[in-house]
Amino acid sequence: MALKLPIYMDYHATTPVDPRVLDAMLPYFSGHFGNAASRSHPFGWEAEKAVDDARAQIAALMNADPREIIFTSGATESDNLAIKGVAEMYREKGDHIITSQIEHKAVLDTCKRLENDGFRVTYLPVDDTGMVRPESVAEAIDDKTILCSIMLANNEIGTINPVEEIGKICRSRGVLFHSDAVQGFGKIPFNVQTMSVDLASVTAHKIYGPKGVGALYVRRKSPRVRLQSQMDGGGHERGMRSGTLNVPGIVGFGKACEVAGLDMASEAERLIGFRERMRSEIQGKLEAVSLNGHPTRRLPGNLNLSFAYVEGESLLMGMKDIALSSGSACTSASLEPSYVLKALGVGDDMAHSSIRYGLGRFTTAEEVEFAIDLTIRTVERLREMSPLYELAREGVDLKTVQWEPH
Ligand code: PLP
């Protein structure tokens, strides 16, 4: 079958809705349109039942009790609710929060705001594979630490954190543990019991569900977590998040979890096969290509590579037939290298020339072959035009070159 271009390889940014998910959602837009909070008639009961079923499906995928699932508009809101909600509720107990330098902005910017409000935040460094060392969490805890927030897996480099060890440390020291589980949930096993997680953020659109619906897991016992709500209103979701529930979205999220649970092992195996084929073929044919992140402890569908002697933007331009993401973030006028790659110790040049390939459920073997071929051809072409590459090939150590300003 002919390839349809452009190819989508940006599954960390978002995913298409799975047809099984869409089928489950459709009846709830017009036929079964009731408000799940309407207790006095069948329209409401039907909607409430659908929400309860979805709550159970989501809870099952993380080994939680359905009553511990609080629906939100997505993981940005879940992260805000978890961190601000704990900070405000436990302020009397302490003023210290621990997180890592490579969290998503929804966590980092929330922490920054709390710093402005007088909280102390420790941003833990990561090792050169992007992993938080559990001992660094233990060392950072003081008698005023109320919360530790460490992601399950990173969205750029795919590295999976030792969440179970970190959870154990937090539990033994009486510190609440939040995990932004967005990128790992539904793709790798995630268990709030064995991992001692007290709060967890998840979102539907990264696991083939709709955009604009997420959830926060909030532990009910041992310990019971209390949160200061961030939205005032009708007292929905045990008073933690007011607002009429997005019933079709929630139904879709539930179905997406059910499908993810059934397909997780086979999907992971298939994607790891694709990822490793890409890595070995690209690194086999091109020199000076480095892998960012951990070689094995990474999300099945994540491959992040840096290509020396090429410029990231030109690389992306040359690969327009594939929807990809790069390690350069265009912030206003400047081109900033990714803060995640910088935290791993990747130099600016290599961070700028990095590409994140995000593979997912609908990625085919033909698409993988096309991406391998296009990457190799584009990098070779750009290097042929690169004076830096020429110097490097002649054996010149580029670090010793004195550049003339002009
Ligand atoms: N946390 C992580 C790790 C993410 O990758 C994302 C999405 O990019 C978010 C949080 C935010 O999720 P949402 O788009 O549902 O607000």
Side-chain angles (χ1 to χ4, degrees):
M1 205 175 72
L3 269 185
K4 197 170 158 290
L5 301 178
I7 289 168
Y8 189 72
M9 282 202 178
D10 204 12
Y11 277 84
H12 303 292
T14 196
T15 59
V17 171
D18 188 295
R20 292 166 283 185
V21 170
L22 182 62
D23 280 348
M25 292 172 68
L26 286 175
Y28 292 90
F29 283 101
S30 55
H32 308 311
F33 61 86
N35 185 330
S38 297
R39 291 271 157 77
S40 52
H41 52 69
F43 294 87
W45 302 335
E46 196 173 51
E48 190 185 25
K49 161 92 173 59
V51 167
D52 284 346
D53 290 349
R55 224 185 271 286
Q57 288 167 313
I58 297 161
L61 193 56
M62 57 171 85
N63 196 20
D65 182 312
R67 291 170 299 178
E68 297 175 313
I69 302 297
I70 304 296
F71 286 113
T72 64
S73 62
T76 299
E77 186 187 340
S78 302
D79 286 340
N80 272 264
L81 176 57
I83 299 168
K84 291 177 186 163
V86 165
E88 290 170 19
M89 185 57 88
Y90 293 84
R91 188 159 203 160
E92 295 290 295
K93 192 167 173 243
D95 64 350
H96 183 228
I97 294 166
I98 298 169
T99 188
S100 85
Q101 290 173 358
I102 65 166
E103 297 295 312
H104 190 267
K105 288 286 180 187
V107 167
L108 291 177
D109 288 356
T110 302
C111 288
K112 296 238 168 67
R113 183 179 290 270
L114 288 173
E115 276 188 289
N116 290 336
D117 292 344
F119 285 89
R120 291 178 297 127
V121 181
T122 301
Y123 299 92
L124 295 174
V126 291
D127 68 15
D128 61 4
T129 68
M131 224 184 303
V132 174
R133 281 188 318 114
E135 310 84 75
S136 71
V137 173
E139 285 154 18
I141 294 175
D142 65 29
D143 58 354
K144 293 285 179 204
T145 309
I146 49 177
L147 178 71
C148 175
S149 178
I150 302 291
M151 69 204 320
L152 174 62
N154 183 269
N155 44 302
E156 284 190 35
I157 50 170
T159 299
I160 299 166
N161 267 317
V163 166
E164 190 166 335
E165 286 88 328
I166 295 171
K168 264 201 201 99
I169 292 168
C170 292
R171 180 66 52 83
S172 73
R173 305 278 295 270
V175 172
L176 293 178
F177 179 39
H178 167 248
S179 187
D180 176 333
V182 166
Q183 292 287 345
F185 184 60
K187 296 172 191 148
I188 55 170
F190 178 59
N191 184 327
V192 293
Q193 309 308 342
T194 58
M195 295 178 173
S196 311
V197 171
D198 300 314
L199 299 124
S201 303
V202 290
T203 191
H205 76 102
K206 308 282 188 185
I207 57 163
Y208 312 94
K211 293 167 188 53
V213 56
L216 181 65
Y217 160 76
V218 184
R219 181 174 287 281
R220 272 171 70 90
K221 56 176 195 276
S222 320
R224 182 181 183 87
V225 178
R226 291 178 308 130
L227 286 183
Q228 177 62 55
S229 64
Q230 303 296 307
M231 196 86 83
D232 296 313
H236 307 74
E237 300 298 277
R238 292 167 47 213
M240 290 193 221
R241 203 280 191 173
S242 289
T244 298
L245 292 178
N246 169 4
V247 178
I250 288 169
V251 168
F253 194 4
K255 185 69 185 178
C257 289
E258 183 194 292
V259 173
L262 292 173
D263 291 358
M264 190 187 296
S266 58
E267 200 162 284
E269 195 182 315
R270 196 174 66 91
L271 293 181
I272 289 172
F274 282 167
R275 177 190 87 199
E276 288 308 307
R277 181 144 102 236
M278 286 185 81
R279 189 189 57 71
S280 65
E281 288 202 25
I282 292 172
Q283 284 188 321
K285 297 245 169 62
L286 295 171
E287 57 183 338
V289 177
S290 54
L291 176 73
N292 297 311
H294 198 281
T296 52
R297 276 189 67 103
R298 67 190 301 135
L299 291 172
N302 177 286
L303 181 66
N304 192 314
L305 297 174
S306 284
F307 302 87
Y309 320 117
V310 299
E311 204 249 317
E313 286 304 292
S314 323
L315 195 54
L316 274 191
M317 289 290 284
M319 304 217 291
K320 271 200 278 205
D321 282 336
I322 313 178
L324 290 162
S325 169
S326 93
S328 300
C330 288
T331 49
S332 59
S334 72
L335 203 60
E336 278 289 312
S338 141
Y339 67 91
V340 173
L341 294 177
K342 273 181 114 166
L344 265 64
V346 177
D348 280 8
D349 282 2
M350 288 301 258
H352 274 307
S353 74
S354 76
I355 295 266
R356 177 185 72 182
Y357 301 84
L359 313 177
R361 185 169 294 164
F362 304 107
T363 302
T364 65
E366 291 74 32
E367 291 175 340
V368 167
E369 289 310 322
F370 181 88
I372 293 170
D373 188 53
L374 185 60
T375 304
I376 293 170
R377 276 191 290 123
T378 309
V379 172
E380 280 176 345
R381 182 169 54 78
L382 291 172
R383 283 182 176 172
E384 268 165 33
M385 301 186 295
S386 160
L388 287 182
Y389 185 57
E390 207 170 310
L391 285 173
R393 295 211 82 177
E394 284 164 11
V396 177
D397 180 357
L398 296 178
K399 289 195 196 78
T400 64
V401 175
Q402 295 283 316
W403 303 101
E404 287 283 322
H406 62 101

